Amino acid sequence: MPFPIVNSIISWFLKKRKHQVALFLKYPIDVQNELLFKLLEKAKHTEIGEKFEFSTIKSYKEFTQKVPIQQYESIEPLIERARKGEQNIFWPTPIKWFAKSSGTTNAKSKFIPVSDEALEDCHFKAGKDMLCLYFNNNPEAQLFTGKGLRLGGSSAVYEDNNSYFGDLSAIIIENMPLWADFSSSPKQEVALMSEWETKMEAILNETIHENITSLVGVPSWMLVLLNKVLKRTGKSNILEVWPNLEVYFHGGVNFNPYREQFKKLIPKKEFKYYETYNASEGFFAIQDENNSFDLLLMLDYGIFYEFIPMNRFDGENSKTISLSEVKLHTNYALVITTNGGLWRYLIGDTVKFTSLNPYRIRITGRTKHFINVFGEELIIENAENALEKACLITKAEVSEYTVAPVFMNGKNNGGHEWLIEFRKKPECIDYFTEILDNALKAINSDYEAKRYHNLTLAMPKINVAKEGLFYNWLKQKGKLGGQHKVPRLSNSRKYLEELLELTTSIN
C-alpha cells in the first residue's frame, strides 16, 4: 500500500479519538469523580483495599480521611513483595512489569508497578492521543509517509522472580502494537540496547538513510544525537539529512534552555514542537495546540489527580485539594491514584494551572529540587526562565547546569553557586551573571527581597564547566541516556561538590 494512503488511513483513525477527549473537556470533574470510584471498586478486595476499607468510601472527603498520602519509601515493602511474585496486593489484575525509575541521579532505584491497564489505558492511549491532537491541529501532516525516530533510555529488561523490570521505554517497546513498531526507527533490538554509547552509534547507522518525519525523546539527549548526525554526515543542518522532518515530540526536562539550539539545527519556520508530560508512574498531560507552552491534563487515563498547595506542603502529612478546587498560577505538588495500583502517591513533581477551562498546566519543578535556604523559594521554572533570558540577550547556549546554595559563613553573606556547561559561551560572564540575577529578581519577589542591597544573598557565582563534564558525571554513575537528567536545583551542595571534584580530577 502506498505511504500517502497509509498516512491518510492512520490519521483518520487517530482523529476519531478527539470526540472522547471532548467528553472530559466538557465534564472534567464528573469524569474524575467517576474514575476515582471505579478504581476503588476494582481494588476493594486487594490487600490495600481491605486495609483502608475501599468498599465503605462514598466521597472524596472519606477517601482523603481513610487513605494516607504515600511516598515511595512508604510503599517499597509492598512493591518488593510484588516483585517476588505476590499478587493482589495493591491492584487486582496480575502485575509482572515494573518500571525502574530513571528520573533521578540517586543510587537507589524505584520500581513502579505497571499493570496491563496502565499500559493499555494510559501509556498506549496517550501515545495515540499525542498523534490525534497533532493530526487534528495539522490536517496536512505526513508523519506516516516516513518513520518516527524514537530515542529511549538504556533500556534492557531484566527478569527477577518471574517479574520483569527495566526503563519504562523498554517496557513500552516490548509491549508495543505492531503498527507503532512498524512506523518507528530504530528497530526494536537497537532501541532496547543497554550500552548507551554503542546504542547511539547503532541508531546513527540505522536512521541516517531513513525517511525520518518525527522525533521523540528527551531534549538533552536528542541534542547529543542530532549533533552526532551532523558530524557523521557533514551536513549543516538536520533538514539536509531528513528533509521531511515535521515535528519533535519531547518531554522529560524543561525545553526552554534548548529551544534556540533546536531552531538552529532544524531551520524550518513551520516545524512543530509538541511537549508531553509522562513518567514511570503514568502519562499525565499533552500539548494540545500548536505553538503552545501549556499542556492539557488528560483526565481519562485511569489516573485520579489531587493537589497540594506548595505553601502548605508537608510531605505525607499534607492536606490535598481536588481538581475542582485548584486556582490559576498557584504552585501545586501532584498526588496521583492510578490503575497501576498507586494510591494517593506523591510523585514529587510540581505544576501550576494556566487554564481552568479546559484544565491546562505547566510543569514548574520538583518538590525536592528547589533552593529555599534563605527564604528565596527559588524553583526550577524561575531558574530556567531567567537562564533563557540571559542566553537570549548574550547569545549564549547552555548544555547543562546545576545550582546549589552558598551557606553563610561568619560575616560572609549566603548566595547561589551555578555550574554551567555552555555549548556557546557568552562573551562576558559577568554581564551574563548580571542579566541572570536581574531576571531572577523580576521573576521571584522573594529572591529580589533577599538580594536587596546584598543583605542576605550575594550576587550569584557562576562556574563555567568544561565540555562533557555533566556527561562524564552521569556516565560515572551509570546514568547515561533516556530519562536520566541532571538535578537542576538543590538545597544541599552534594551534586555541585561532586561535579567540582570531578572537574579537579579531570584537570
Side-chain angles (χ1 to χ4, degrees):
M1 190 183 290
F3 279 119
I5 297 175
V6 172
N7 187 77
S8 299
I9 293 170
I10 295 177
S11 63
W12 173 82
F13 171 76
L14 288 166
K15 285 177 189 177
K16 291 178 70 177
R17 160 69 179 154
K18 194 72 165 61
H19 301 296
Q20 294 169 288
V21 172
L23 185 66
F24 77 68
L25 291 179
K26 190 173 182 181
Y27 304 106
I29 306 305
D30 292 341
V31 167
Q32 275 283 281
N33 287 339
E34 184 180 336
L35 173 60
L36 172 61
F37 291 106
K38 277 185 178 177
L39 293 172
L40 289 168
E41 175 66 24
K42 179 139 190 173
K44 66 183 179 182
H45 295 307
T46 62
E47 184 177 316
I48 285 279
E50 291 180 352
K51 179 180 179 180
F52 296 119
E53 302 176 327
F54 283 4
S55 61
T56 68
I57 295 173
K58 305 300 179 190
S59 67
Y60 170 65
K61 186 177 180 182
E62 280 186 50
F63 177 60
T64 64
Q65 290 169 341
K66 290 194 170 184
V67 184
I69 293 173
Q70 298 173 317
Q71 298 182 90
Y72 185 80
E73 291 71 21
S74 299
I75 61 173
E76 185 176 22
L78 296 179
I79 288 177
E80 285 306 304
R81 284 171 52 198
R83 287 186 63 212
K84 290 173 181 171
E86 285 190 58
Q87 297 293 346
N88 205 43
I89 298 173
F90 34 73
W91 192 247
T93 59
I95 292 179
K96 64 176 182 176
W97 293 98
F98 294 84
K100 187 177 179 182
S101 178
S102 56
T104 175
T105 54
N106 292 342
K108 192 170 184 181
S109 295
K110 297 178 182 179
F111 294 90
I112 305 300
V114 181
S115 66
D116 288 346
E117 292 91 338
L119 274 175
E120 288 295 331
D121 300 332
C122 183
H123 293 291
F124 290 151
K125 190 175 183 179
K128 287 182 275 191
D129 282 356
M130 178 181 77
L131 295 171
C132 159
L133 292 167
Y134 177 72
F135 272 107
N136 272 280
N137 291 331
N138 304 282
E140 75 292 347
Q142 297 293 312
L143 287 193
F144 292 101
T145 60
K147 293 191 173 185
L149 193 163
R150 59 189 179 192
L151 186 59
S154 300
S155 30
V157 171
Y158 304 93
E159 184 177 0
D160 184 20
N161 299 304
N162 295 316
S163 67
Y164 300 85
F165 69 91
D167 189 277
L168 177 67
S169 59
I171 294 171
I172 288 173
I173 290 168
E174 282 275 349
N175 292 276
M176 190 176 279
L178 279 175
W179 70 268
D181 192 44
F182 172 75
S183 63
S184 301
S185 185
K187 55 184 177 288
Q188 186 167 322
E189 52 265 40
V190 172
L192 290 173
M193 288 174 70
S194 57
E195 207 289 305
W196 178 252
E197 290 173 326
T198 306
K199 174 177 170 173
M200 288 288 266
E201 288 302 310
I203 291 174
L204 283 175
N205 292 335
E206 185 173 329
T207 59
I208 279 177
H209 302 295
E210 288 274 18
N211 177 24
I212 300 296
T213 54
S214 65
L215 305 173
V216 183
V218 175
S220 51
W221 297 113
M222 186 61 74
L223 268 181
V224 173
L225 177 67
L226 296 184
N227 280 298
K228 284 181 178 289
V229 168
L230 294 185
K231 188 175 180 181
R232 171 76 69 87
T233 60
K235 304 294 185 183
S236 60
N237 69 67
I238 292 299
L239 295 174
E240 293 178 7
V241 184
W242 299 314
N244 299 317
L245 191 65
E246 61 178 81
V247 61
Y248 174 31
F249 300 103
H250 62 87
V253 298
N254 189 315
F255 191 56
N256 286 343
Y258 304 101
R259 193 177 303 277
E260 293 305 314
Q261 295 177 59
F262 273 93
K263 284 181 180 178
K264 288 181 181 177
L265 288 173
I266 309 170
K268 186 177 184 179
K269 191 175 180 182
E270 65 274 21
F271 188 79
K272 303 292 191 301
Y273 296 91
Y274 264 63
E275 185 173 359
T276 62
Y277 175 21
N278 62 313
S280 300
E281 294 85 355
F283 207 120
F284 310 126
I286 304 171
Q287 180 184 326
D288 66 319
E289 297 177 318
N290 288 341
N291 307 313
S292 174
F293 297 104
D294 303 328
L295 308 180
L296 180 68
L297 192 63
M298 306 304 283
L299 303 177
D300 64 347
Y301 285 0
I303 299 173
F304 178 76
Y305 298 100
E306 299 176 79
F307 306 89
I308 304 169
M310 280 304 289
N311 61 1
R312 303 204 308 264
F313 183 78
D314 187 22
E316 292 181 343
N317 300 313
S318 302
K319 302 293 184 197
T320 58
I321 61 173
S322 66
L323 185 64
S324 63
E325 301 170 271
V326 298
K327 296 178 180 177
L328 289 173
H329 310 302
T330 300
N331 212 26
Y332 295 108
L334 190 60
V335 176
I336 57 173
T337 290
T338 77
N339 54 5
L342 297 176
W343 297 96
R344 304 200 77 208
Y345 182 78
L346 188 58
I347 190 173
D349 290 343
T350 59
V351 301
K352 70 177 180 184
F353 284 85
T354 56
S355 165
L356 301 183
N357 185 24
Y359 287 99
R360 291 196 182 100
I361 60 171
R362 290 188 190 180
I363 306 159
T364 56
R366 300 277 295 167
T367 56
K368 292 181 180 178
H369 291 184
F370 60 88
I371 302 179
N372 194 29
V373 173
F374 311 101
E376 68 274 44
E377 297 189 22
L378 188 75
I379 62 174
I380 292 175
E381 184 186 41
N382 299 158
E384 304 216 312
N385 287 345
L387 203 57
E388 183 182 21
K389 184 169 185 178
C391 285
L392 197 63
I393 292 173
T394 64
K395 296 184 169 51
E397 294 177 2
V398 169
S399 296
E400 295 287 0
Y401 75 94
T402 193
V403 194
V406 177
F407 296 103
M408 290 180 177
N409 183 12
K411 293 181 180 179
N412 295 331
N413 288 357
H416 293 166
E417 185 169 2
W418 295 63
L419 180 61
I420 304 176
E421 183 178 328
F422 291 98
R423 188 176 297 277
K424 181 183 176 186
K425 293 179 186 175
E427 287 186 14
C428 177
I429 199 69
D430 290 340
Y431 181 48
F432 182 91
T433 306
E434 184 182 334
I435 295 168
L436 181 71
D437 183 50
N438 287 334
L440 287 171
K441 289 177 187 174
I443 292 164
N444 183 326
S445 58
D446 292 311
Y447 178 88
E448 182 183 32
K450 303 303 180 291
R451 281 282 295 119
Y452 183 70
H453 289 324
N454 296 336
L455 287 176
T456 306
L457 288 177
M459 176 73 85
K461 176 184 178 183
I462 293 184
N463 302 296
V464 177
K466 282 199 168 183
E467 185 181 350
L469 174 67
F470 287 91
Y471 184 94
N472 290 328
W473 181 64
L474 288 170
K475 184 177 180 180
Q476 195 177 76
K477 290 177 171 289
K479 299 282 184 181
L480 287 180
Q483 296 290 323
H484 297 300
K485 41 194 174 266
V486 173
R488 300 306 197 194
L489 306 181
S490 176
N491 251 353
S492 82
R493 291 182 59 83
K494 177 179 181 291
Y495 302 123
L496 182 67
E497 295 292 355
E498 285 182 8
L499 283 154
L500 291 174
E501 188 178 334
L502 185 60
T503 302
T504 306
S505 67
I506 290 172
N507 291 340

